[in-house]
Amino acid sequence: MLVAVSEFPGVLRVGDLEVAVSVSERRKSVRLTVERDSSVVAIVPPQVSKAELVRMVENKRTWLYGKLAEKRDLGVPPPAKEYISGEGFLYLGRSYRLRIIESGCVKLIRGRLELPKGGGAKELVDWYRRVGDPWLRRRVPSWASRMGAELTGLRVRPLGYRWGSCSQDGQINIHWATMQLPPSLIDYVLVHELAHLQRPDHGPDFWRIVDRTLPGYAEHRERLRRAGNNLWLPEEGR
Ligand SMILES: [Zn+2]
C-alpha cells in the first residue's frame, strides 16, 4: 500500500533533482528509481525523515545523473517527415538534404537526395530498398566467407522493428531502414544474422561466433540500440 505522508509534499527537491516521494508501510529501506519518463521516484518506509532522504539522494546523485543521461541519449523519436526541400535523410550514416524536383525518380546526386514532386514515404522506402540491395550484396560475401556461413540469398525489405532475420534455408533478410546506419553498424547487423545461420538462438555459442568475427560487439550492439531511435521508420515501411 502506498500512502503519501504529510512530511513529504509529494515532490522533494534536492539541488536540481525532483524526487516524487511515496511512503510504503511494507518497505524496510528506501527504493530510488529513475522511471521510463525520466522522473525520479523514491518509495520510503514510514520512519524515514526528510533530512535522511535528502542525504540519501545526495549520496546517490552521480548514479541518478548517469541514469538520467542514459534516458536522454535514448531520446525521443524524430519528428514526422514532411517531404519538403531541405529535410535531412540518413544514408550510410550521413545526412543528405532532400531536394524536390519536378519529375524523375528518387536518386542521390551531388550530395542531395532528389524526390519528385508529390512523392513521399513510399518512394523513399523504395529507394532505400533499391540502393540497399546491391550495397549489401557487395558487402556480405567477405563476412560470409570469413564466418564459413552458407548464405543462399539476401533480401532488403520491411521487417517491423527487427534489423534482420534469417530463414533455415540460408537466406537473410535485412530491414531497408538499416541502410540509414553507418557501415560499421550495418556490418554488425550482417554478422549477427550470418551467425544465426549457425546458431538460431542468442545463447553463449551464438555470441562467441559474433565476438570472434567482430571483437567488441557489445559496443556495436549498444550503438545500434541508440542509433535505432534516430532512424526514420514511416508506417508504410514497417
Ligand atoms: Zn538475433
Side-chain angles (χ1 to χ4, degrees):
M1 183 179 52
L2 294 179
V3 208
V5 136
S6 57
E7 193 186 2
F8 295 114
V11 175
L12 178 73
R13 275 173 211 283
V14 183
D16 55 353
L17 288 170
E18 279 188 3
V19 185
V21 185
S22 302
V23 176
S24 168
E25 314 269 352
R26 282 182 310 176
R27 282 216 65 90
K28 299 262 183 289
S29 61
V30 173
R31 183 179 139 92
L32 204 56
T33 55
V34 177
E35 300 297 307
R36 275 168 165 273
D37 63 356
S38 293
S39 58
V40 181
V41 174
I43 301 175
V44 302
Q47 68 275 17
V48 168
S49 72
K50 191 169 168 178
E52 277 176 295
L53 187 57
V54 168
R55 208 172 323 125
M56 207 166 291
V57 171
E58 278 171 345
N59 288 340
K60 282 214 153 193
R61 190 175 283 191
T62 311
W63 177 81
L64 285 168
Y65 282 136
K67 282 280 170 197
L68 288 167
E70 219 171 83
K71 303 270 175 199
R72 214 164 29 236
D73 284 350
L74 293 180
V76 285
K81 299 287 189 189
E82 292 174 67
Y83 314 107
I84 50 174
S85 282
E87 229 170 18
F89 282 83
L90 291 169
Y91 175 60
L92 299 178
R94 295 183 58 180
S95 179
Y96 294 94
R97 294 197 182 283
L98 210 59
R99 178 171 29 221
I100 305 300
I101 53 168
E102 279 304 311
S103 61
C105 58
V106 182
K107 57 180 176 297
L108 189 58
I109 187 164
R110 288 188 288 276
R112 293 279 171 148
L113 185 58
E114 291 190 343
L115 175 70
K117 205 160 67 184
K122 186 193 173 298
E123 287 72 17
L124 287 164
V125 169
D126 285 349
W127 175 77
Y128 279 108
R129 294 183 68 172
R130 202 163 64 233
V131 295
D133 192 273
W135 193 92
L136 290 165
R137 279 173 200 282
R138 276 196 307 275
R139 195 84 171 182
V140 78
S142 64
W143 289 116
S145 69
R146 199 183 305 185
M147 297 169 76
E150 307 240 351
L151 180 69
T152 59
L154 182 146
R155 282 202 305 163
V156 187
R157 44 174 294 214
L159 288 170
Y161 288 98
R162 287 175 305 166
W163 297 107
S165 69
C166 63
S167 56
Q168 286 185 330
D169 60 3
Q171 159 140 335
I172 66 173
N173 302 304
I174 302 294
H175 198 309
W176 64 266
T178 303
M179 297 313 297
Q180 296 172 66
L181 297 168
S184 61
L185 286 185
I186 302 179
D187 283 341
Y188 168 72
V189 174
L190 288 174
V191 167
H192 186 113
E193 293 311 323
L194 289 168
H196 274 317
L197 294 180
Q198 287 158 8
R199 286 277 158 182
D201 54 19
H202 289 121
D205 286 344
F206 170 83
W207 291 113
R208 248 192 300 280
I209 296 169
V210 175
D211 194 39
R212 201 166 53 213
T213 317
L214 269 184
Y217 70 87
E219 191 200 317
H220 285 89
R221 192 163 57 159
E222 179 58 22
R223 277 175 60 212
L224 183 62
R225 194 172 65 82
R226 285 162 194 266
N229 289 286
N230 295 318
L231 297 194
W232 173 61
L233 194 58
E235 291 288 336
E236 300 88 322
R238 284 177 187 165

